[in-house]
Amino acid sequence: MNHSLPRYPVTVIIPAAGSGERLGAQVPKALVPLVGRTLVEHAVANLSPIASQIIIAAPAGFESQFSALFGESVTVVTGGTTRSESVKKALAATDSESKYVLVHDAARSLASTDLAARIIEELVAGEVAVIPGMAVIDTTKEIDADGYVIRTPDRSYLRAVQTPQGFEKGALIAAHESNFDASDDAGLMELAGHSVKIIDGEERALKITTKSDLAIAARILLPENDLDIRIGIGTDAHAFSADELRPMWLAGLHWPEVVGVDGHSDGDVAAHAICDALFAAASLGDLGSNFGTSDPEYASASGQRLLAETLHRITEASFKILNISVQIVGNKPKIGPRRSEAIAALSRSLGGALVSVSATTTDGLGFTGEGKGISAIASALITKF
Ligand code: CTP
Ligand code: MG
């Protein structure tokens, strides 16, 4: 939908002063990159077509980094310790001629220009407060302090609200000057006695809070075939041990009927091949360069622990697993009867990733065919978010 709005004097306030604790990046959340731009740049790009003024509340100490991104086109103020304090500080910098204010979380970076335009249309038509909301999918309970349900509100009257939230400027400033406390600006307006209108929100206005939200946002932004997809392969092999008591660990499972293999850590060739494939796909080196055979911390680490640590490292580098395939090569153990268990164990160590496990013998040929040892080959498909 394309709204050809006349230019109304609209100030867009972008609270971006949070640290992004739950996202856990090295920089404040608004500066985290998503498909080639920071989150706050996405938010500004989406809302600037309807804005006559944009004010960003930046985390203290990061003001110049925000200014450098936008130059003169944006006013940067220092944010406060709470979101509403950040909004209040930004309100003090609004142009005197602006009539409407849209408050929009940097964290809802992908909310569309169209959504903002629909909010403004309602304000122009005379509403004082207009906010987007989504129908609530889950049945929602109201509880008391001890965790007991007080009541079950009728879901059809509930909305999960988003931003941008639009207001008549004078009314919003007055609501912020009152000593009310609310978790969003619309809440302050409600307490000040204004009626707040809800219009349809949009999926893409999701609040980016965790790493997996970033991955969802990347999918919204990119057509499937534009995703930055990488592939990696890995192999590992170990000889069966002469020590009859050595336990066999393979694909995250213990195999009591088979003697284990010699080698670094627990010798889980399937897990190690997957780690190598993941590191290769992410261009992060390999098992050895990451965990080192001499590093005592990993000398006796289980395959599952190495998988979990590998997942952590590739996630830190902004990669998400699309799928993993591992093939085990050897005469024993027989994988088929425990295939689902093996898939579940590997997947669990990889944060629920899609894993497939296959197995083969080599017709009596080579060290695996001669029953001297076991090997595994893995491929990993990952995507950057
Ligand atoms: N915000 C702000 N000033 C604060 C706290 C939050 O301007 N003192 C902004 C955030 O930058 C974000 C929006 O309010 O754009 C919504 O907050 P949230 O998604 O919770 O972001 P963070 O507080 O950064 O994240 P976290 O709670 O995980 O630390
Ligand atoms: Mg927060």
Side-chain angles (χ1 to χ4, degrees):
M1 206 188 327
N2 239 330
H3 293 261
S4 49
L5 278 176
R7 295 281 289 190
Y8 294 99
V10 175
T11 294
V12 169
I13 287 178
I14 303 185
S19 59
E21 207 171 291
R22 287 167 289 181
L23 192 59
Q26 309 294 326
V27 291
K29 183 160 76 177
L31 295 177
V32 166
L34 168 69
V35 195
R37 273 178 175 173
T38 60
L39 294 184
V40 69
E41 284 175 283
H42 282 288
V44 167
N46 288 325
L47 264 60
S48 56
I50 53 83
S52 46
Q53 182 195 17
I54 298 180
I55 306 171
I56 298 177
F62 289 87
E63 298 86 344
S64 57
Q65 281 192 46
F66 280 73
S67 297
L69 287 175
F70 304 106
E72 304 273 287
S73 62
V74 157
T75 304
V76 174
V77 300
T78 307
T81 50
T82 62
R83 181 185 180 281
S84 71
E85 210 181 298
S86 295
V87 174
K88 199 169 177 175
K89 288 177 130 187
L91 274 173
T94 51
D95 276 346
S96 54
E97 69 263 28
S98 65
K99 186 162 174 0
Y100 306 116
V101 173
L102 257 54
V103 182
H104 181 47
D105 289 340
R108 296 189 189 270
S109 321
L110 301 188
S112 68
T113 313
D114 177 67
L115 178 59
R118 287 192 285 119
I119 301 272
I120 293 167
E121 269 180 3
E122 297 284 345
L123 292 171
V124 170
E127 298 291 343
V128 176
V130 184
I131 66 176
M134 301 287 277
V136 174
I137 291 160
D138 297 319
T139 293
T140 303
K141 308 280 184 189
E142 187 178 333
I143 60 168
D144 66 18
D146 300 319
Y148 290 96
V149 172
I150 299 168
R151 57 184 201 106
T152 305
D154 179 349
R155 198 155 50 89
S156 59
Y157 289 105
L158 295 178
R159 293 293 178 270
V161 306
Q162 304 176 321
T163 71
Q165 300 193 341
F167 308 100
E168 193 276 307
K169 185 171 82 176
L172 182 65
I173 291 174
H176 270 273
E177 276 164 4
S178 67
N179 284 324
F180 298 135
D181 189 25
S183 57
D184 69 349
D185 299 278
L188 286 178
M189 293 290 279
E190 291 156 40
L191 292 170
H194 296 289
S195 47
V196 176
K197 179 163 186 187
I198 297 238
I199 65 164
D200 286 343
E202 49 182 27
E203 298 258 342
R204 58 178 303 148
L206 83 155
K207 184 153 100 169
I208 298 170
T209 306
T210 60
K211 290 255 178 201
S212 62
D213 295 331
L214 264 186
I216 293 168
R219 274 174 185 273
I220 291 172
L221 224 41
L222 291 173
E224 204 72 14
N225 52 6
D226 276 1
L227 283 176
D228 183 354
I229 290 175
R230 320 270 181 98
I231 190 167
I233 60 164
T235 65
D236 192 32
H238 283 295
F240 287 118
S241 178
D243 175 1
E244 300 263 309
L245 294 176
R246 175 105 175 140
M248 167 59 105
W249 283 93
L250 182 63
L253 302 178
H254 179 223
W255 303 74
E257 76 287 5
V258 182
V259 175
V261 297
D262 288 323
H264 179 224
S265 71
D266 66 355
D268 184 336
V269 291
H272 296 177
I274 292 172
C275 292
D276 253 343
L278 285 168
F279 284 131
S283 305
L284 288 175
D286 55 26
L287 196 67
S289 69
N290 275 276
F291 302 131
T293 40
S294 55
D295 187 340
E297 202 198 329
Y298 298 110
S300 57
S302 68
Q304 281 175 298
R305 157 115 199 270
L306 294 180
L307 285 170
E309 181 59 29
T310 302
L311 174 66
H312 176 70
R313 292 187 189 195
I314 68 158
T315 307
E316 282 291 292
S318 298
F319 288 104
K320 174 184 156 58
I321 299 175
L322 293 178
N323 82 303
I324 299 282
S325 172
V326 62
Q327 184 177 44
I328 294 160
V329 186
N331 297 343
K332 61 182 179 181
K334 290 283 168 245
I335 304 299
R338 296 185 70 190
R339 188 195 313 274
S340 331
E341 237 185 296
I343 289 171
L346 293 170
S347 175
R348 205 164 41 241
S349 306
L350 291 169
L354 192 62
V355 175
S356 65
V357 174
S358 56
T360 187
T361 57
T362 49
D363 208 15
L365 299 171
F367 76 94
T368 51
E370 288 161 18
K372 291 182 180 162
I374 189 162
S375 70
I377 178 163
S379 53
L381 203 62
I382 63 174
T383 183
K384 188 138 198 165
F385 56 82

